[in-house]
Amino acid sequence: MDNSPTALFDSYEQDFQQIIQSIREKVEGDGQGEQRKAALRRVEMELDEADEMISQMEIEIQGIPQSLKPSYTSRLRASKASLTQYKKLSKDLYTSLARSDLLSSSKPGFNSSDQPYGNGERDERGRLLAGTAVLEDGSRRLLESQRVALETEEQGADILRNLRGQREQIEHARDTLRTADTSIDRASGTLKKMIRRMYQQRVVTGAIILVLVLLILIILWAKFFH
């Protein structure tokens, strides 16, 4: 298992490229009518998956070392540009397909005897259907944006919680070091006092010995010369 700091980013990028390749094949492929609509619906689902891969890549790039980050930032930027390109292309294809359906329903010869609506009613109905489709597409994209925003907010909250935990650990370590420093200062002061008392005891002991020697000398002198 690859435990390098770029392994997950590389994995997500590979998945993203596979999704983009699948999207490219669908948007450039042939097909008409319902087959084309089904392909575009699948493209929309894969665009959502690609968007999720981009979000994961943005998270993983935060942990990449600074020496490698510029290269990976460029790759992330290129992936975002590719996703934006295919999102726009998918939207244009949807619009083109809807326009083709609308135009085909209003071709000459498609008169009121073919449908239970007159020309004016049929045109109005077509415009309403097109407007409804646009609104539904906008609502779907808005819901998707909200979902991504909520996921990003949740990931940001997790990062903040991790940072808060790390800060508490650092503060605890700093308090421990401060306590250890205080203990060392106290121990140093105690050792200095002990050393000072030891020297004092040595001086007192030397003075006592000196006095005893003098007394012995005085006693000997008094005994032999008096």
Side-chain angles (χ1 to χ4, degrees):
M1 180 177 180
D2 191 352
N3 294 322
S4 66
T6 62
L8 283 176
F9 184 97
D10 293 336
S11 176
Y12 287 128
E13 185 183 31
Q14 183 178 3
D15 292 341
F16 174 83
Q17 294 298 336
Q18 291 176 353
I19 294 172
I20 288 297
Q21 178 62 30
S22 177
I23 292 172
R24 182 183 300 114
E25 292 173 355
K26 289 180 177 64
V27 298
E28 294 178 356
D30 296 329
Q32 299 295 332
E34 290 302 322
Q35 182 182 1
R36 189 62 168 167
K37 290 179 181 179
L40 290 179
R41 283 194 294 269
R42 181 57 187 167
V43 165
E44 286 296 313
M45 296 173 61
E46 290 180 333
L47 285 172
D48 292 340
E49 295 177 11
D51 215 347
E52 180 64 23
M53 293 299 102
I54 289 292
S55 298
Q56 295 297 332
M57 290 162 66
E58 288 177 336
I59 294 173
E60 294 302 326
I61 201 173
Q62 303 301 321
I64 294 178
Q66 290 295 331
S67 59
L68 301 176
K69 187 171 288 187
S71 172
Y72 281 83
T73 301
S74 298
R75 289 162 60 176
L76 177 60
R77 191 180 300 116
S79 297
K80 285 183 176 180
S82 179
L83 179 60
T84 301
Q85 174 188 352
Y86 280 101
K87 281 184 176 180
K88 183 178 183 302
L89 180 57
S90 174
K91 183 179 179 180
D92 292 343
L93 289 174
Y94 257 120
T95 302
S96 176
L97 188 60
R99 186 182 299 112
S100 297
D101 290 343
L102 184 61
L103 291 176
S104 64
S105 66
S106 59
K107 287 181 179 179
F110 194 82
N111 50 39
S112 58
S113 63
D114 298 320
Q115 292 290 336
Y117 302 99
N119 288 335
E121 291 177 324
R122 185 169 60 250
D123 292 343
E124 182 67 21
R125 181 171 176 270
R127 286 193 294 270
L128 288 174
L129 289 175
T132 302
V134 171
L135 287 175
E136 289 177 350
D137 183 65
S139 298
R140 185 185 59 77
R141 291 181 180 274
L142 179 60
L143 290 174
E144 181 64 21
S145 298
Q146 291 176 343
R147 183 185 66 80
V148 173
L150 289 174
E151 290 179 355
T152 303
E153 182 180 357
E154 183 178 354
Q155 292 167 355
D158 289 338
I159 292 173
L160 288 176
R161 282 194 292 270
N162 291 334
L163 290 176
R164 189 180 298 112
Q166 292 176 6
R167 184 183 65 183
E168 291 175 354
Q169 291 176 355
I170 292 173
E171 290 177 349
H172 179 70
R174 184 179 60 188
D175 293 339
T176 302
L177 289 175
R178 188 182 293 114
T179 302
D181 188 52
T182 301
S183 300
I184 291 173
D185 289 340
R186 290 177 181 175
S188 177
T190 302
L191 287 174
K192 288 180 180 179
K193 290 180 181 179
M194 293 175 64
I195 292 172
R196 185 165 56 250
R197 288 177 182 176
M198 182 185 66
Y199 283 130
Q200 290 174 351
Q201 289 175 355
R202 285 184 178 181
V203 171
V204 171
T205 302
I208 291 173
I209 293 173
L210 180 61
V211 170
L212 290 174
V213 171
L214 289 175
L215 288 174
I216 292 172
L217 291 175
I218 292 172
I219 292 171
L220 291 174
W221 182 80
K223 183 176 181 180
F224 289 105
F225 294 100
H226 292 279

